[in-house]
Amino acid sequence: MRIFSLLFLIIIFFNLNPNKALSQFTVYTPPNAFSISDIEYSNSLSEVVLATNAGVYFFDGVNWTTTTTIDGLPSNDVKCLSNTNTGDVLTSTASGLAKWNGLSWDAYIVNSTQSYAYISSIYILAAPDTMYGTNNGKLLRKGSSALATNVPMSPPVGLFTHIGHMDPPGAYNFAIGTTTNGAVIYDIPTTSTFIVNTSSTPIPSNNILSHDIEGNKTYDGTDQGVYIPDFTNFPSMTSIIYNTSNSQLPSNIVQAVAVRNGVQWYGTPNGLANLQGSTWTIYNTANSNLPDNDVVELAYDMIGNVIWIGTADGNLSMLDLSVGIDNKNNNYESFKIHPNPVNSNLFIESEQKVKQVSIFDISGKQMDNYQFRSGLVQVEHLPKGIYFIQLISKDEVATKKFIKQ
């Protein structure tokens, strides 16, 4: 009887435990060896674009397209990428900027009188209004005029690693650039700047390696952990710090950050970390098929169903967040859910008589589990993020993903 009970529990675990599917990556090996410096998902092309030291690579999920100096790229040493709202890809190389028109690269000139070796970060506010961060700490802004203006900063900052934009519900309209000597907050209406560093904020280090923005929060990956200030009431900032001493972060060196719907991903030299709510999930070569523990770049797809991972070995990996549970005997068409995204109540339409409902976060942690009595599932209590709802009937187990706003 004990043996039978144990076997039953093992079967249930492998059929219903979301960790089984969530820990498996799809690994794509590029046609050539290279190191990855940036990853962007192009919505218009429906392709992943990789900046490497061997050119720019496009990947549609099956086929790779290689573009180099032969195709008009100024240099094969590519520093960063950015998508334009017209579907082009703007890229910076060691020898200048270029724009992809779908067939070849065209030279792109910023026309600045400032001296710098290369553009290290690009952010398009609203074409043609674009901001450029340089390798020597200059923040350039270029609109419809030919000349890019220099945004003065004091004290001086280092190499720009990322630029993003935030529209808080307050008096400020921020463009935030992170550098190797703190962060630069540029208030667009007033054209004033603020420097975030260890002397002015609780940020654990001025060496910011990676960065992302969602809502009024910024997520700075430093060489001493993650710093998350809330700019809702700037300059009075509520901040959170994650490091190896107060969290499951596998390393204090945070090389890549990606955030969507409150779900946080951090790439470190010791593996990939995911934080949803208060639950950490760590992926590495020991517990998953991640090809390399050294995660250098991260990017979401258009709607947040997929996280793309670039590792130091040059491989591109993909984790499909829409698959939360082993798909065997899993009928996705047997029920519908709405609205999605949802704030409070999730309505269920099912062809089967549902007996049980379970909700899991993307790490596989079960958040709710109870007998199903109506077509309404309350999710207001769940933290903002990505979840999977699982319905169990007499004949099947069916699962769908939803987003809690």
Side-chain angles (χ1 to χ4, degrees):
M1 179 62 70
R2 290 181 178 178
I3 294 176
F4 175 79
S5 299
L6 179 60
L7 288 174
F8 177 77
L9 289 173
I10 292 174
I11 291 170
I12 291 296
F13 175 81
F14 279 103
N15 281 333
L16 300 184
N17 184 16
N19 273 325
K20 182 185 177 185
L22 287 171
S23 62
Q24 296 306 306
F25 299 85
T26 303
V27 182
Y28 303 100
T29 301
N32 302 309
F34 52 62
S35 62
I36 300 171
S37 55
D38 196 5
I39 298 177
E40 293 280 344
Y41 185 85
S42 172
N43 297 341
S44 58
L45 300 175
S46 297
E47 292 181 327
V48 183
V49 189
L50 280 73
T52 79
N53 63 345
V56 175
Y57 285 72
F58 297 85
F59 182 61
D60 64 5
V62 178
N63 301 308
W64 291 89
T65 301
T66 306
T67 61
T68 64
T69 52
I70 297 174
D71 308 289
L73 200 62
S75 167
N76 287 336
D77 185 6
V78 184
K79 304 299 184 179
C80 63
L81 303 163
S82 185
N83 294 310
T84 71
N85 58 358
T86 58
D88 297 324
V89 177
L90 185 60
T91 185
S92 170
T93 76
S95 300
L97 292 164
K99 183 185 290 185
W100 178 252
N101 60 21
L103 297 174
S104 62
W105 293 96
D106 295 327
Y108 188 83
I109 308 299
V110 175
N111 285 344
S112 172
T113 58
Q114 302 298 321
S115 60
Y116 53 87
Y118 60 88
I119 299 292
S120 55
S121 55
I122 304 170
Y123 185 78
I124 302 171
L125 292 164
D129 194 0
T130 304
M131 303 199 74
Y132 303 89
T134 72
N135 70 302
N136 60 349
K138 291 182 173 65
L139 183 62
L140 308 175
R141 184 177 181 186
K142 187 177 186 301
S144 56
S145 63
L147 185 66
T149 58
N150 181 35
V151 177
M153 279 167 290
S154 180
V157 295
L159 181 147
F160 272 88
T161 55
H162 185 276
I163 302 175
H165 185 230
M166 179 169 60
D167 290 301
Y172 296 96
N173 182 294
F174 294 139
I176 298 179
T178 55
T179 83
T180 52
N181 194 24
V184 177
I185 303 172
Y186 176 53
D187 182 35
I188 295 173
T190 65
T191 66
S192 59
T193 59
F194 311 92
I195 307 298
V196 175
N197 54 34
T198 53
S199 64
S200 59
T201 69
I203 191 169
S205 169
N206 289 334
N207 189 17
I208 301 174
L209 308 176
S210 54
H211 177 77
D212 204 356
I213 297 175
E214 186 174 61
N216 298 325
K217 293 182 179 179
T218 67
Y219 299 79
D220 293 312
T222 78
D223 60 356
Q224 295 296 323
V226 179
Y227 176 63
I228 309 173
D230 189 335
F231 287 94
T232 303
N233 297 308
F234 183 84
S236 181
M237 297 180 294
T238 303
S239 58
I240 299 171
I241 295 175
Y242 294 122
N243 53 43
T244 54
S245 64
N246 68 3
S247 73
Q248 296 180 43
L249 198 67
S251 170
N252 284 333
I253 301 173
V254 182
Q255 304 173 141
V257 178
V259 182
R260 184 74 64 87
N261 298 309
V263 179
Q264 303 161 44
W265 295 88
Y266 300 110
T268 80
N270 296 336
L272 176 64
N274 168 250
L275 176 62
Q276 175 158 333
S278 60
T279 301
W280 287 88
T281 304
I282 308 302
Y283 300 93
N284 53 45
T285 56
N287 65 11
S288 72
N289 64 333
L290 190 68
D292 187 5
N293 285 334
D294 196 353
V295 178
V296 295
E297 287 293 334
L298 296 168
Y300 271 104
D301 72 345
M302 179 171 54
I303 59 176
N305 274 344
V306 170
I307 186 78
W308 293 93
I309 304 107
T311 45
D313 62 355
N315 280 310
L316 178 68
S317 300
M318 181 268 286
L319 187 61
D320 188 350
L321 305 177
S322 66
V323 181
I325 296 178
D326 189 355
N327 287 334
K328 186 177 181 181
N329 298 323
N330 200 346
N331 185 357
Y332 278 80
E333 301 303 320
S334 64
F335 76 97
K336 298 179 181 179
I337 59 174
H338 62 88
N340 190 12
V342 60
N343 290 315
S344 55
N345 295 324
L346 195 63
F347 294 91
I348 311 297
E349 298 178 13
S350 176
E351 299 173 0
Q352 302 285 335
K353 183 177 180 180
V354 179
K355 293 184 175 181
Q356 196 83 6
V357 60
S358 297
I359 294 177
F360 302 88
D361 66 17
I362 62 172
S363 72
K365 178 182 178 182
Q366 190 176 75
M367 309 297 290
D368 285 321
N369 181 40
Y370 50 83
Q371 291 183 350
F372 189 70
R373 293 187 174 88
S374 69
L376 175 67
V377 174
Q378 294 182 337
V379 296
E380 189 174 10
H381 63 287
L382 296 174
K384 183 172 67 172
I386 300 171
Y387 295 90
F388 301 91
I389 182 167
Q390 179 190 77
L391 301 185
I392 303 174
S393 68
K394 179 180 179 182
D395 301 319
E396 66 181 18
V397 175
T399 308
K400 282 189 182 294
K401 187 185 92 166
F402 69 92
I403 296 172
K404 170 61 170 56
Q405 291 183 328

